Amino acid sequence: MKPIAIHAFNPGPYTGDGNWTWLIRGRVTTLIDAGTGDPKHLDEVERALEGAMLSQVLVTHGHVDHASGAPALAERFPGARFLKMPWPERDSRWPVAWERLEDGATIPAGDETLLAVHTPGHAPDHLCFWHAESRTMLCGDLAQKGTTVYVPPNLQGDLIAYLDSLERVLALRPARLLPAHGPVMDDPESVLRGYIEHRQERERQIVEQLGAGVSDPDALVARLYRGLKDTLVPMARESVLAHLIKLEREGRAGRREGAWHMIDP
Ligand SMILES: [Zn+2]
């Protein structure tokens, strides 16, 4: 299986250079992720299909840069099916006839088969698509070379789930990750292990600061992200909150009127 990278033409503050979508040609022509409906993206997909119909679009998760192009694709490619794991309050924003994908679903794609792997954390509905023969994971926003992945509690991000998802993908021993942002990763184990270590280190710092009496998320951000640009502070705050909520669920931290503290074992 040789998925073709097709850019979504949507660079921006949250998408960096913009998204990659992946086209798998063959009997069941399959596009992984829908982009944002930019006409240049639709043209590139059409060109890469070389006259074939588009059979289906598999969407990794309901974030705008992955799912919002679905209606435009449906218009350009009548007959294409649209499949994702449901996230009802999000999916209704992109009105196509979404079909439900569950964890463990096997999906004909190209001339082969993909396995849907539920990998929540970045988003509750996040799926990766696994091609076992080539040990290739179409990984959506699970990983991005050179940077960490955003896990925002205010958008149902969940750090405990994200760490479990990383372990789940590691256990499959992928040979390469084809992401939605940035370059292909040929060293999945070091990338995914690196994420786990990064979160462990961040947690250790937060525990240390809480222990020293720093109780306010904004103060934690100021201590842990020195020199951060103002525009990035809200994202850093969400990341700190993700850690605090993890510690709370593990019974290690608590909060009283917005002030956080460690709980003595
Ligand atoms: Zn996302």
Side-chain angles (χ1 to χ4, degrees):
M1 177 175 283
K2 286 200 167 52
I4 300 166
I6 300 180
H7 201 265
F9 296 93
N10 62 327
Y14 297 106
T15 60
D17 295 337
N19 287 51
W20 293 110
T21 66
W22 295 92
L23 182 70
I24 302 166
R25 296 190 296 195
R27 195 170 43 79
V28 185
T29 50
T30 299
L31 184 68
I32 309 290
D33 273 346
T36 57
D38 191 295
K40 293 194 287 296
H41 180 234
L42 305 181
D43 291 346
E44 288 293 316
V45 172
E46 191 168 335
R47 194 179 351 260
L49 282 166
E50 295 180 338
M53 307 285 285
L54 181 62
S55 304
Q56 61 185 3
V57 181
L58 310 180
V59 170
T60 57
H61 62 296
H63 286 166
V64 60
D65 51 327
H66 301 258
S68 67
L73 283 164
E75 202 165 298
R76 177 73 72 98
F77 303 103
R81 300 165 64 200
F82 291 83
L83 302 95
K84 70 185 292 301
M85 178 170 276
W87 183 0
E89 62 267 38
R90 279 252 152 190
D91 300 342
S92 58
R93 296 184 193 183
W94 335 119
V96 295
W98 292 110
E99 296 177 47
R100 165 188 294 263
L101 279 180
E102 301 283 359
D103 181 45
T106 55
I107 310 146
D111 299 315
E112 298 170 74
T113 302
L114 293 173
L115 174 72
V117 182
H118 189 209
T119 39
H122 170 71
D125 59 338
H126 194 284
L127 290 174
C128 292
F129 297 103
W130 174 237
H131 181 242
E133 288 77 4
S134 63
R135 314 203 71 73
T136 298
M137 188 66 96
L138 292 133
C139 76
D141 280 356
L142 183 83
Q144 180 183 346
K145 184 128 199 138
T147 184
T148 57
V149 166
Y150 189 39
V151 177
N154 71 352
L155 292 172
Q156 297 183 42
D158 181 325
L159 186 53
I160 292 178
Y162 180 64
L163 292 168
D164 287 347
S165 294
L166 293 175
E167 294 286 1
R168 187 168 186 205
V169 172
L170 271 167
L172 291 167
R173 306 191 69 79
R176 58 180 185 153
L177 306 176
L178 309 187
H181 302 273
V184 170
M185 288 162 273
D186 292 313
D187 52 348
E189 174 145 7
S190 83
V191 171
L192 302 179
R193 290 254 171 259
Y195 283 151
I196 294 169
E197 283 161 20
H198 167 78
R199 300 291 175 167
Q200 288 168 339
E201 171 64 13
R202 184 62 86 209
E203 180 171 294
R204 197 190 57 68
Q205 293 170 342
I206 288 173
V207 166
E208 188 178 287
Q209 294 293 332
L210 288 175
V214 180
S215 63
D216 173 61
D218 292 315
L220 287 166
V221 169
R223 298 250 178 158
L224 298 177
Y225 298 82
R226 290 188 191 279
L228 191 67
K229 276 195 281 184
D230 284 354
T231 50
L232 296 177
V233 166
M235 288 177 88
R237 193 175 193 282
E238 281 295 301
S239 295
V240 164
L241 266 180
H243 277 281
L244 291 169
I245 291 165
K246 173 178 181 289
L247 290 167
E248 182 179 50
R249 285 191 13 216
E250 293 168 346
R252 296 165 64 200
R255 55 180 140 176
R256 220 173 290 114
E257 288 160 12
W260 290 79
H261 58 270
M262 292 302 291
I263 293 171
D264 291 330

